[in-house]
Amino acid sequence: MAASGGVTLAPRSRVVIARFLEGLERVGPGVVRLTDRHPEPAVGETVDENAAASRYGAVARKP
């Protein structure tokens, strides 16, 4: 459980996450690391180009 709020985290691979989108129309690049989805930093934010992203995300909609 996440120490901050009692949320159970379930690590999943990119392939498993893609299965959640079956039957939906993917928008944009599909399932990607979150840092690749919006790679531009916020104002005043610095980015470590060598950092590993541990989260994937995607946007999809009903056809």
Side-chain angles (χ1 to χ4, degrees):
M1 284 199 178
S4 64
V7 177
T8 302
L9 301 177
R12 293 183 172 95
S13 70
R14 185 173 180 243
V15 172
V16 172
I17 292 171
R19 284 190 213 140
F20 286 114
L21 304 175
E22 288 179 1
L24 300 174
E25 179 184 341
R26 293 183 191 178
V27 178
V31 180
V32 295
R33 294 181 303 166
L34 292 180
T35 53
D36 292 340
R37 181 96 190 154
H38 289 284
E40 64 281 349
V43 174
E45 180 183 24
T46 59
V47 177
D48 180 356
E49 297 293 333
N50 297 316
S54 62
R55 295 186 176 109
Y56 291 103
V59 175
R61 61 180 166 227
K62 290 182 181 180

Coordinates of all heavy atoms in Angstrom, one line a residue:
M1 N 0.8 -1.2 0.0 CA 0.0 0.0 0.0 C 0.9 1.2 0.0 O 1.9 1.3 0.6 CB -0.9 0.0 1.2 CG -2.1 -0.9 1.2 SD -3.2 -0.3 2.4 CE -4.5 -1.4 2.1
A2 N 0.4 2.2 -0.7 CA 1.1 3.5 -0.7 C 1.0 4.1 0.7 O -0.1 4.2 1.2 CB 0.6 4.4 -1.8
A3 N 2.1 4.5 1.2 CA 2.2 5.0 2.6 C 1.3 6.3 2.7 O 0.8 6.6 3.8 CB 3.6 5.3 3.0
S4 N 1.2 7.1 1.7 CA 0.5 8.4 1.8 C -1.0 8.3 1.9 O -1.6 9.2 2.4 CB 0.9 9.2 0.6 OG 0.4 8.7 -0.6
G5 N -1.6 7.2 1.5 CA -3.1 7.2 1.5 C -3.8 5.9 1.5 O -5.0 5.8 1.3
G6 N -3.0 4.8 1.7 CA -3.6 3.5 1.8 C -4.1 3.0 0.4 O -5.0 2.1 0.3
V7 N -3.5 3.4 -0.7 CA -3.9 3.0 -2.0 C -3.0 1.8 -2.4 O -1.8 1.9 -2.2 CB -3.7 4.1 -3.0 CG1 -4.0 3.7 -4.4 CG2 -4.5 5.3 -2.7
T8 N -3.6 0.8 -2.9 CA -2.8 -0.4 -3.3 C -2.3 -0.1 -4.7 O -3.1 0.2 -5.6 CB -3.7 -1.7 -3.3 OG1 -4.2 -1.9 -2.0 CG2 -2.9 -2.9 -3.7
L9 N -1.0 -0.2 -4.9 CA -0.4 -0.1 -6.2 C -0.2 -1.4 -6.9 O 0.2 -2.4 -6.2 CB 0.9 0.7 -6.1 CG 0.8 2.1 -5.4 CD1 2.2 2.6 -5.3 CD2 0.0 3.0 -6.2
A10 N -0.5 -1.5 -8.1 CA -0.3 -2.7 -8.9 C 0.6 -2.5 -10.1 O 0.1 -2.0 -11.1 CB -1.7 -3.3 -9.3
P11 N 1.9 -2.8 -10.0 CA 2.7 -2.6 -11.1 C 2.3 -3.4 -12.3 O 1.9 -4.6 -12.2 CB 4.1 -3.0 -10.6 CG 4.0 -3.1 -9.2 CD 2.6 -3.3 -8.8
R12 N 2.2 -2.7 -13.5 CA 1.8 -3.4 -14.7 C 2.7 -3.0 -15.8 O 3.2 -1.9 -15.9 CB 0.4 -3.0 -15.1 CG -0.7 -3.5 -14.0 CD -2.1 -3.1 -14.5 NE -3.0 -3.8 -13.6 CZ -3.6 -3.2 -12.6 NH1 -3.3 -2.0 -12.3 NH2 -4.5 -3.8 -11.9
S13 N 2.9 -4.0 -16.8 CA 3.7 -3.7 -17.9 C 3.0 -2.9 -19.0 O 1.7 -2.8 -18.9 CB 4.2 -5.0 -18.6 OG 3.1 -5.7 -19.2
R14 N 3.7 -2.4 -19.9 CA 3.1 -1.6 -21.0 C 2.0 -2.5 -21.8 O 0.9 -2.0 -22.1 CB 4.2 -1.2 -22.0 CG 3.7 -0.3 -23.1 CD 4.9 0.2 -23.9 NE 4.4 1.1 -24.9 CZ 4.6 0.8 -26.2 NH1 5.3 -0.2 -26.6 NH2 4.2 1.7 -27.1
V15 N 2.3 -3.8 -22.0 CA 1.4 -4.7 -22.7 C 0.1 -4.9 -21.9 O -1.0 -4.9 -22.4 CB 2.1 -6.1 -22.9 CG1 1.2 -7.1 -23.4 CG2 3.3 -5.9 -23.8
V16 N 0.2 -5.1 -20.6 CA -0.9 -5.2 -19.7 C -1.8 -4.0 -19.8 O -3.0 -4.0 -19.9 CB -0.5 -5.6 -18.3 CG1 -1.7 -5.7 -17.4 CG2 0.1 -7.0 -18.3
I17 N -1.2 -2.8 -19.7 CA -1.9 -1.6 -19.7 C -2.6 -1.4 -21.1 O -3.8 -1.0 -21.1 CB -1.0 -0.4 -19.5 CG1 -0.5 -0.4 -18.0 CG2 -1.7 0.9 -19.7 CD1 0.6 0.5 -17.7
A18 N -2.0 -1.8 -22.1 CA -2.6 -1.7 -23.5 C -3.9 -2.6 -23.5 O -4.8 -2.2 -24.2 CB -1.6 -2.2 -24.5
R19 N -3.9 -3.7 -22.8 CA -5.1 -4.5 -22.8 C -6.4 -3.8 -22.2 O -7.5 -4.0 -22.6 CB -4.9 -5.8 -22.0 CG -4.1 -6.8 -22.7 CD -4.0 -8.1 -22.0 NE -2.8 -8.7 -22.2 CZ -2.0 -9.4 -21.4 NH1 -2.5 -9.6 -20.1 NH2 -0.9 -9.9 -21.7
F20 N -6.1 -2.8 -21.3 CA -7.2 -2.0 -20.8 C -7.9 -1.2 -21.8 O -9.0 -0.8 -21.7 CB -6.7 -1.1 -19.6 CG -6.4 -1.8 -18.3 CD1 -5.1 -1.8 -17.9 CD2 -7.4 -2.4 -17.6 CE1 -4.8 -2.5 -16.7 CE2 -7.2 -3.0 -16.4 CZ -5.9 -3.1 -15.9
L21 N -7.2 -0.9 -22.9 CA -7.7 -0.1 -24.0 C -8.3 -0.8 -25.1 O -8.8 -0.2 -26.1 CB -6.5 0.8 -24.5 CG -5.8 1.6 -23.5 CD1 -4.6 2.4 -24.1 CD2 -6.7 2.6 -22.8
E22 N -8.4 -2.1 -25.0 CA -9.0 -2.9 -26.1 C -10.4 -2.5 -26.3 O -11.2 -2.3 -25.4 CB -8.9 -4.4 -25.8 CG -7.4 -5.0 -25.9 CD -7.3 -6.4 -25.6 OE1 -8.4 -7.1 -25.3 OE2 -6.2 -6.9 -25.6
G23 N -10.8 -2.3 -27.6 CA -12.1 -1.9 -28.0 C -12.3 -0.4 -28.0 O -13.3 0.1 -28.3
L24 N -11.3 0.4 -27.6 CA -11.3 1.8 -27.6 C -10.4 2.4 -28.7 O -9.5 1.7 -29.1 CB -10.8 2.4 -26.2 CG -11.6 1.9 -25.0 CD1 -10.9 2.4 -23.7 CD2 -13.1 2.4 -25.1
E25 N -10.7 3.6 -29.1 CA -9.9 4.3 -30.1 C -8.8 5.0 -29.4 O -9.1 6.0 -28.6 CB -10.8 5.2 -30.9 CG -10.1 6.0 -31.9 CD -11.0 7.0 -32.6 OE1 -12.2 6.9 -32.5 OE2 -10.5 8.0 -33.2
R26 N -7.6 4.7 -29.6 CA -6.4 5.3 -29.0 C -6.2 6.7 -29.6 O -6.3 6.9 -30.8 CB -5.2 4.5 -29.1 CG -5.3 3.2 -28.3 CD -4.0 2.5 -28.3 NE -4.2 1.1 -27.8 CZ -3.3 0.2 -27.7 NH1 -2.1 0.4 -28.2 NH2 -3.6 -1.0 -27.2
V27 N -5.9 7.7 -28.8 CA -5.6 9.0 -29.2 C -4.1 9.3 -29.0 O -3.6 9.0 -27.9 CB -6.4 10.0 -28.4 CG1 -6.1 11.5 -28.8 CG2 -7.9 9.7 -28.6
G28 N -3.5 9.9 -30.0 CA -2.1 10.2 -29.9 C -1.1 9.0 -30.0 O -1.5 8.1 -30.7
P29 N -0.1 9.0 -29.2 CA 0.9 8.0 -29.4 C 0.6 6.7 -28.8 O 1.4 5.8 -28.9 CB 2.2 8.6 -28.8 CG 1.6 9.5 -27.7 CD 0.3 10.1 -28.3
G30 N -0.5 6.5 -28.2 CA -0.8 5.2 -27.6 C -0.3 5.1 -26.2 O -0.2 6.1 -25.5
V31 N 0.1 3.9 -25.8 CA 0.7 3.7 -24.4 C 2.1 4.0 -24.4 O 2.9 3.4 -25.1 CB 0.5 2.2 -24.0 CG1 1.0 2.0 -22.6 CG2 -1.0 1.8 -24.0
V32 N 2.5 5.1 -23.7 CA 3.8 5.6 -23.7 C 4.2 6.0 -22.2 O 3.3 6.1 -21.4 CB 4.0 6.8 -24.6 CG1 3.8 6.5 -26.0 CG2 3.1 8.0 -24.2
R33 N 5.5 6.1 -22.0 CA 5.9 6.6 -20.7 C 5.3 8.0 -20.5 O 5.2 8.8 -21.5 CB 7.4 6.7 -20.6 CG 8.1 5.3 -20.6 CD 9.6 5.4 -20.5 NE 10.1 6.3 -21.6 CZ 11.3 6.8 -21.6 NH1 12.2 6.5 -20.6 NH2 11.7 7.5 -22.6
L34 N 4.9 8.4 -19.4 CA 4.2 9.7 -19.2 C 5.1 10.8 -19.6 O 4.7 11.8 -20.1 CB 3.8 9.8 -17.7 CG 2.7 8.9 -17.3 CD1 2.3 9.1 -15.8 CD2 1.4 9.1 -18.2
T35 N 6.4 10.7 -19.4 CA 7.3 11.8 -19.7 C 7.4 11.9 -21.2 O 7.8 13.0 -21.7 CB 8.7 11.5 -19.1 OG1 9.2 10.2 -19.5 CG2 8.7 11.6 -17.6
D36 N 7.1 10.9 -22.0 CA 7.1 11.0 -23.5 C 5.8 11.6 -24.0 O 5.7 12.1 -25.1 CB 7.3 9.6 -24.1 CG 8.7 9.1 -23.9 OD1 9.6 9.9 -23.5 OD2 8.9 7.9 -24.0
R37 N 4.7 11.5 -23.2 CA 3.4 12.0 -23.6 C 3.4 13.5 -23.7 O 2.9 14.1 -24.6 CB 2.3 11.5 -22.6 CG 1.0 11.9 -23.0 CD 0.2 10.9 -23.8 NE -1.0 11.4 -24.3 CZ -1.6 11.0 -25.3 NH1 -1.1 10.0 -26.0 NH2 -2.7 11.5 -25.7
H38 N 4.0 14.1 -22.7 CA 4.1 15.5 -22.6 C 5.6 15.9 -22.2 O 5.8 16.1 -21.0 CB 3.1 16.1 -21.6 CG 1.7 16.1 -22.1 ND1 1.3 17.0 -23.1 CD2 0.7 15.3 -21.8 CE1 0.0 16.7 -23.3 NE2 -0.4 15.7 -22.6
P39 N 6.5 15.8 -23.1 CA 7.9 15.9 -22.7 C 8.3 17.4 -22.4 O 9.4 17.6 -21.8 CB 8.6 15.5 -24.0 CG 7.7 15.7 -25.1 CD 6.3 15.5 -24.5
E40 N 7.5 18.4 -22.7 CA 7.9 19.7 -22.4 C 7.8 20.0 -20.9 O 6.8 19.7 -20.3 CB 7.1 20.7 -23.2 CG 5.6 20.7 -22.9 CD 4.8 19.6 -23.6 OE1 5.3 18.9 -24.4 OE2 3.6 19.5 -23.2
P41 N 8.8 20.6 -20.3 CA 8.7 20.9 -18.9 C 7.8 22.1 -18.6 O 7.6 22.9 -19.5 CB 10.2 21.2 -18.5 CG 10.8 21.6 -19.8 CD 10.1 20.9 -20.9
A42 N 7.4 22.1 -17.4 CA 6.6 23.3 -16.9 C 7.5 24.5 -16.7 O 8.7 24.3 -16.7 CB 5.9 23.0 -15.6
V43 N 7.0 25.6 -16.6 CA 7.8 26.8 -16.4 C 8.6 26.7 -15.1 O 8.0 26.3 -14.1 CB 6.9 28.1 -16.3 CG1 7.7 29.3 -16.0 CG2 6.1 28.3 -17.6
G44 N 9.9 26.9 -15.3 CA 10.8 26.7 -14.1 C 11.2 25.3 -13.7 O 11.9 25.1 -12.8
E45 N 10.7 24.3 -14.4 CA 11.0 22.9 -14.1 C 12.2 22.5 -14.9 O 12.4 22.9 -16.0 CB 9.8 22.1 -14.5 CG 10.0 20.6 -14.2 CD 8.8 19.7 -14.7 OE1 8.1 20.1 -15.6 OE2 8.7 18.6 -14.2
T46 N 13.0 21.7 -14.2 CA 14.2 21.1 -14.9 C 13.9 19.6 -15.1 O 13.1 19.0 -14.4 CB 15.5 21.3 -14.1 OG1 15.3 20.7 -12.8 CG2 15.8 22.7 -13.9
V47 N 14.5 19.1 -16.1 CA 14.2 17.7 -16.5 C 15.6 16.9 -16.6 O 16.5 17.4 -17.2 CB 13.5 17.6 -17.9 CG1 13.3 16.2 -18.3 CG2 12.2 18.3 -17.8
D48 N 15.6 15.8 -15.9 CA 16.7 14.9 -16.0 C 16.5 13.9 -17.2 O 15.7 13.0 -17.1 CB 16.9 14.1 -14.7 CG 18.1 13.1 -14.8 OD1 18.8 13.0 -15.8 OD2 18.4 12.5 -13.7
E49 N 17.2 14.2 -18.3 CA 17.0 13.4 -19.5 C 17.3 11.9 -19.4 O 16.9 11.1 -20.1 CB 17.8 14.0 -20.7 CG 17.4 15.4 -21.1 CD 16.0 15.4 -21.7 OE1 15.5 14.4 -22.3 OE2 15.3 16.5 -21.5
N50 N 18.1 11.6 -18.3 CA 18.5 10.2 -18.1 C 17.7 9.5 -17.1 O 17.9 8.3 -16.8 CB 20.0 10.2 -17.7 CG 20.9 10.7 -18.8 OD1 20.8 10.4 -20.0 ND2 21.8 11.6 -18.4
A51 N 16.7 10.1 -16.5 CA 15.9 9.5 -15.5 C 14.9 8.5 -16.1 O 14.4 8.7 -17.3 CB 15.0 10.6 -14.8
A52 N 14.7 7.4 -15.5 CA 13.8 6.4 -15.9 C 12.4 6.7 -15.5 O 12.2 7.0 -14.3 CB 14.3 5.0 -15.4
A53 N 11.5 6.6 -16.4 CA 10.1 6.8 -16.0 C 9.5 5.4 -15.6 O 9.7 4.5 -16.3 CB 9.3 7.4 -17.2
S54 N 8.8 5.4 -14.6 CA 8.2 4.1 -14.1 C 6.7 4.1 -14.3 O 6.0 3.2 -13.8 CB 8.5 3.9 -12.6 OG 7.9 5.0 -11.9
R55 N 6.1 5.0 -15.0 CA 4.7 5.0 -15.2 C 4.4 5.2 -16.7 O 5.0 5.9 -17.4 CB 4.1 6.2 -14.5 CG 4.3 6.0 -13.0 CD 3.5 7.1 -12.2 NE 3.6 6.8 -10.8 CZ 4.4 7.5 -10.0 NH1 5.1 8.6 -10.4 NH2 4.4 7.2 -8.7
Y56 N 3.3 4.5 -17.1 CA 2.8 4.6 -18.5 C 1.4 5.2 -18.5 O 0.7 5.1 -17.5 CB 2.7 3.2 -19.1 CG 4.0 2.5 -19.4 CD1 4.5 1.5 -18.5 CD2 4.8 2.9 -20.5 CE1 5.7 0.9 -18.8 CE2 6.0 2.3 -20.7 CZ 6.4 1.3 -19.9 OH 7.6 0.7 -20.1
G57 N 1.1 5.8 -19.6 CA -0.2 6.4 -19.7 C -0.7 6.4 -21.1 O 0.1 6.1 -22.0
A58 N -2.0 6.6 -21.3 CA -2.6 6.6 -22.6 C -3.9 7.4 -22.6 O -4.5 7.6 -21.5 CB -2.8 5.2 -23.1
V59 N -4.3 7.8 -23.7 CA -5.6 8.5 -23.8 C -6.4 7.7 -24.9 O -5.9 7.3 -26.0 CB -5.5 9.9 -24.3 CG1 -6.9 10.6 -24.5 CG2 -4.7 10.7 -23.3
A60 N -7.6 7.3 -24.6 CA -8.5 6.6 -25.5 C -9.9 7.0 -25.3 O -10.3 7.6 -24.3 CB -8.3 5.1 -25.3
R61 N -10.7 6.8 -26.4 CA -12.1 7.1 -26.3 C -13.0 6.0 -26.9 O -12.5 5.2 -27.7 CB -12.4 8.4 -27.0 CG -12.1 8.5 -28.4 CD -12.3 9.8 -29.1 NE -11.7 9.9 -30.4 CZ -10.9 10.9 -30.8 NH1 -10.7 11.9 -30.0 NH2 -10.4 10.8 -32.0
K62 N -14.3 6.0 -26.6 CA -15.2 5.0 -27.2 C -15.3 5.4 -28.6 O -15.5 6.5 -29.0 CB -16.5 5.1 -26.5 CG -16.5 4.6 -25.1 CD -17.9 4.7 -24.5 CE -18.0 4.2 -23.1 NZ -19.3 4.2 -22.5
P63 N -15.3 4.4 -29.5 CA -15.5 4.6 -30.9 C -16.9 5.1 -31.3 O -17.8 4.9 -30.6 CB -15.2 3.3 -31.6 CG -15.0 2.3 -30.5 CD -15.0 3.0 -29.2

